[in-house]
Amino acid sequence: MIRKQQMEIDNYEKVAVTPRFCYFKPKVMTNSTMAQEIAFSLSQKKKFISSKFFYDDVGSETFEKICDLPEYYLTRTEFEILDEIKSDLSEYLADNFALVELGSGSSVKTRKLLEILTCKQKDVEYYPVDISDILKDSSINLHDEYENLKITGIIDNYETGLEFIRTLDHTKKLVAFLGSSMGNFSPKEGMEFLEKIHESMSVGDMLLLGLDLVKDVKILESAYNDSSGITADFNCNLLLRLNKEFGANFDLTKFKHVAVFNKKHRRIEMYLKSLTKQHVFMPVIDLFLKFKKDELIHTEYSHKYTTSQIKKMTKRTGFRLVHMWNDKKNYFTMALFAVEK
Ligand code: TRP
């Protein structure tokens, strides 16, 4: 079934939860890699923390709350588009397809795709890939909801997910990359990542990409500066995590969440701003940090696209754009791509 599986998953522990649900997780604790990355990124002239560290248990839970915020239109809009296009999409998925989802999170939007596939196929294989342990709970929920669903989860980064995609050569694949997650890459990195996705797919496979579109600055900025402060909590949780895991002494009252739209680069930029001149120590990794007043730690980019930019970009990656669907307000777009010879 999964060719080359043994070779590729040697470093992974396979946990069989039920006959229809198993997941793979790296055997080695990723803590030491995280320590190294943090020691590097916080020692740079322009300090940064990789956004993949947002998603510990607390972070993943907080992110779910973000998705429900009135200001955070992205999840809701994407969900609406998916609901609207179900029958359109179904026509493009005439054959049997396995679903691969990069960054599956809570798998809420996945249901829209599974509704299509589980209806017309006897069995459906679903391969969620997510950095967070949230994958276990969301998979169990889906498992209980759809009797003809078989789930193989990969709790790791996208790259590992792509390795898995390569090994699935028995059936056609629909790869879903939703939630404007591609916007968290720079456009150049995003394009390179699309190329990698393309390389790991076969002729006849399809890619469904959800991207946030450029719009009024006020709408964009309030999506990342919600009035209840949940996005601020999400951002600040990075520092709490460093306190918890590396014994750091970040004082949360001395850092502030900042999210601004950079028009030139068409992106929301997220930072943690030091409100005073201060020192922070992380004993576990023996890291001593100095902060100037107003110094920023960069934590995330969220690039916004225009439809013409998406068309241009994807042409260069080898995909053929099949269709694009926007919501009525043109806030968000779903783009379907085909892999051709
Ligand atoms: N990809 C989504 C976005 O850019 C979700 C996301 C990633 C996010 N990091 C975030 C949302 C930080 C809020 C804050 O919007």
Side-chain angles (χ1 to χ4, degrees):
M1 210 208 16
I2 298 181
R3 188 167 53 86
K4 292 190 287 182
Q5 193 184 59
Q6 218 42 55
M7 185 188 80
E8 313 230 327
I9 58 167
D10 271 353
N11 301 327
Y12 287 79
E13 174 193 9
K14 178 180 175 177
V15 182
V17 184
T18 81
R20 291 193 290 115
F21 170 42
C22 70
Y23 64 85
F24 292 88
K25 209 184 159 165
K27 269 187 208 148
V28 233
M29 264 310 288
T30 40
N31 223 355
S32 64
T33 4
M34 177 174 169
Q36 279 170 4
E37 280 195 44
I38 293 289
F40 172 80
S41 69
L42 288 181
S43 309
Q44 300 308 296
K45 198 155 172 250
K46 285 193 173 173
K47 296 183 176 65
F48 69 95
I49 301 177
S50 164
S51 59
K52 64 173 176 267
F53 299 128
F54 276 131
Y55 304 96
D56 64 351
D57 289 349
V58 177
S60 300
E61 245 173 64
T62 315
F63 185 68
E64 289 313 301
K65 289 189 200 151
I66 291 181
C67 295
D68 286 336
L69 290 170
E71 293 98 334
Y72 195 77
Y73 58 86
L74 286 84
T75 313
R76 211 173 313 120
T77 312
E78 188 175 39
F79 191 81
E80 279 163 20
I81 302 174
L82 281 172
D83 197 41
E84 286 253 312
I85 68 171
K86 260 189 338 193
S87 63
D88 282 14
L89 206 51
S90 169
E91 285 177 26
Y92 293 109
L93 304 170
D95 235 322
N96 271 13
F97 275 84
L99 177 63
V100 178
E101 187 176 12
L102 300 172
S104 48
S106 63
S107 293
V108 171
K109 288 167 285 185
T110 320
R111 282 182 172 71
K112 293 288 147 208
L113 300 175
L114 290 176
E115 278 167 23
I116 302 174
L117 299 179
T118 54
C119 249
K120 63 182 192 60
Q121 293 176 207
K122 205 166 119 267
D123 298 301
V124 177
E125 291 191 61
Y126 174 46
Y127 297 87
V129 179
D130 204 281
I131 193 97
S132 156
D133 274 343
I134 196 175
L135 184 147
K136 293 181 213 167
D137 286 342
S138 22
S139 295
I140 277 295
N141 290 339
L142 291 178
H143 167 279
D144 293 348
E145 255 169 74
Y146 300 94
E147 277 174 17
N148 56 346
L149 189 63
K150 187 166 173 264
I151 308 174
T152 306
I154 297 108
I155 305 184
D156 205 349
N157 52 33
Y158 297 142
E159 271 69 26
T160 313
L162 292 185
E163 285 299 314
F164 261 79
I165 300 181
R166 278 204 189 91
T167 65
L168 309 172
D169 51 4
H170 59 299
T171 177
K172 284 190 182 172
K173 287 155 292 196
L174 169 65
V175 178
F177 192 30
L178 308 178
S180 202
S181 298
M182 202 183 83
N184 303 124
F185 290 118
S186 73
K188 185 169 169 280
E189 287 165 355
M191 202 169 74
E192 285 163 4
F193 187 63
L194 283 186
E195 275 167 1
K196 277 193 202 152
I197 298 182
H198 186 266
E199 276 166 27
S200 43
M201 293 168 76
S202 314
V203 174
D205 291 351
M206 310 218 83
L207 168 72
L208 188 65
L209 186 66
L211 278 177
D212 197 19
L213 297 172
V214 174
K215 61 183 69 60
D216 186 85
V217 178
K218 272 196 223 112
I219 299 169
L220 284 170
E221 288 192 342
S222 61
Y224 296 85
N225 286 294
D226 63 282
S227 53
S228 41
I230 307 285
T231 315
D233 289 348
F234 180 67
N235 201 7
C236 292
N237 180 55
L238 280 172
L239 302 183
L240 287 177
R241 192 175 174 188
L242 298 182
N243 286 354
K244 248 187 292 182
E245 294 183 30
F246 301 119
N249 61 342
F250 281 101
D251 177 349
L252 271 289
T253 63
K254 290 186 183 160
F255 285 88
K256 189 178 175 253
H257 160 75
V258 175
V260 283
F261 186 63
N262 179 327
K263 265 197 182 153
K264 183 172 167 236
H265 293 289
R266 296 190 185 125
R267 67 188 180 205
I268 287 285
E269 300 181 347
M270 276 190 19
Y271 301 97
L272 289 160
K273 180 166 147 182
S274 172
L275 296 175
T276 56
K277 182 182 169 197
Q278 56 181 317
H279 295 160
V280 174
F281 185 53
M282 263 186 263
V284 175
I285 48 179
D286 200 25
L287 189 68
F288 181 76
L289 296 168
K290 286 182 192 168
F291 287 92
K292 297 188 196 96
K293 182 176 184 300
D294 296 333
E295 186 173 345
L296 301 171
I297 307 175
H298 173 249
T299 56
E300 184 70 299
Y301 286 135
S302 184
H303 289 82
K304 309 302 167 186
Y305 282 85
T306 63
T307 36
S308 61
Q309 198 187 352
I310 297 170
K311 283 179 194 162
K312 244 191 267 163
M313 177 178 68
T314 45
K315 220 180 219 170
R316 294 168 58 180
T317 61
F319 282 111
R320 177 176 69 85
L321 178 62
V322 176
H323 203 94
M324 264 173 129
W325 296 271
N326 293 7
D327 59 296
K328 285 189 201 79
K329 291 182 181 164
N330 288 320
Y331 275 12
F332 202 93
T333 193
M334 290 294 345
L336 183 70
F337 300 92
V339 178
E340 291 175 333
K341 261 183 231 158

